[in-house]
Amino acid sequence: DQINVKEMILPLVVIDVHEKVAKNPDYTITMEDIKDWEKRHGPVPEGAFVAMRTDWSRRWPDMEAMQNRDAKGIAHYPGWSLEVLKYLYENRKITASGHETTDTDPGIATSKDDYSSETYILKQDHYQIELLANLDQVPETGALVVAAFPKPKDGSGFPARVFAILP
């Protein structure tokens, strides 16, 4: 209930790592990915919503495919690195981030109850959105994202309706 409406309509930045994820489901986004994006498009704009495109959403709604667990029960899905999140939130001053997986942290981390990347975002008083879809249908830059939420008093997490407005 504390998210201001001005934080719900933001410039959309899509960092596309889907080809790397196709080769390595444990892929964690790197500073090289961000720097490559910035070489092509300029600095990530202040106040942006940064989404990581992995094409993992194509596995939805099959939770077994989403978790991609091995024989030992370890989940294998991509995630954010803490280094990248700190750069985006502290240096580029983004407002929010999102991804197609069920968690911010990669599966190999969450399988060990390591949610340090998600914890970092929430301690910064920012929000994130999980289970995004259709990131393959928006440009890496130039679109706006609208993230609309219900307003339950003291709500810590709830469904969001997210859509992009294309140029």
Side-chain angles (χ1 to χ4, degrees), residues 73-127:
I74 305 297
H76 296 278
Y77 53 82
W80 292 91
S81 72
L82 190 54
E83 177 186 30
V84 165
L85 290 172
K86 285 183 176 184
Y87 174 79
L88 292 171
Y89 281 102
E90 295 173 22
N91 296 87
R92 293 299 184 229
K93 309 285 188 217
I94 68 169
T95 295
S97 56
H99 43 274
E100 297 171 88
T101 56
T102 55
D103 293 297
T104 307
D105 298 270
I108 55 175
T110 62
S111 292
K112 297 183 265 185
D113 286 328
D114 177 359
Y115 296 91
S116 53
S117 293
E118 181 170 340
T119 301
Y120 166 79
I121 294 169
L122 299 177
K123 283 186 176 181
Q124 303 307 307
D125 197 28
H126 288 279
Y127 70 90

Side-chain angles (χ1 to χ4, degrees), residues 2-167:
Q2 297 174 15
I3 298 174
N4 188 301
V5 73
K6 292 178 182 176
E7 295 178 60
M8 294 182 193
I9 303 172
L10 305 168
L12 176 61
V13 166
V14 178
I15 309 295
D16 183 356
V17 295
H18 83 279
E19 290 178 358
K20 294 174 181 178
V21 168
K23 294 175 187 170
N24 176 10
D26 294 318
Y27 190 78
T28 301
I29 195 167
T30 67
M31 282 303 299
E32 183 178 331
D33 296 318
I34 303 303
K35 294 299 183 184
D36 286 347
W37 188 95
E38 290 188 327
K39 279 183 202 167
R40 293 190 311 277
H41 304 290
V44 171
E46 186 172 328
F49 182 104
V50 179
M52 178 175 44
R53 177 185 168 196
T54 60
D55 288 354
W56 209 256
S57 61
R58 293 179 182 170
R59 295 168 176 252
W60 182 261
D62 183 340
M63 282 308 291
E64 285 184 31
M66 292 292 290
Q67 292 298 305
N68 194 32
R69 294 187 187 278
D70 64 21
K72 294 180 182 178
I74 305 297
H76 296 278
Y77 53 82
W80 292 91
S81 72
L82 190 54
E83 177 186 30
V84 165
L85 290 172
K86 285 183 176 184
Y87 174 79
L88 292 171
Y89 281 102
E90 295 173 22
N91 296 87
R92 293 299 184 229
K93 309 285 188 217
I94 68 169
T95 295
S97 56
H99 43 274
E100 297 171 88
T101 56
T102 55
D103 293 297
T104 307
D105 298 270
I108 55 175
T110 62
S111 292
K112 297 183 265 185
D113 286 328
D114 177 359
Y115 296 91
S116 53
S117 293
E118 181 170 340
T119 301
Y120 166 79
I121 294 169
L122 299 177
K123 283 186 176 181
Q124 303 307 307
D125 197 28
H126 288 279
Y127 70 90
Q128 60 158 9
I129 298 180
E130 299 171 341
L131 296 170
L132 291 173
N134 302 313
L135 290 173
D136 60 326
Q137 297 179 36
V138 293
E140 288 188 343
T141 186
L144 292 175
V145 68
V146 178
F149 309 98
K151 203 170 177 174
K153 180 138 177 71
D154 300 324
S156 62
F158 34 83
R161 184 83 187 251
V162 182
F163 62 91
I165 301 171
L166 302 177

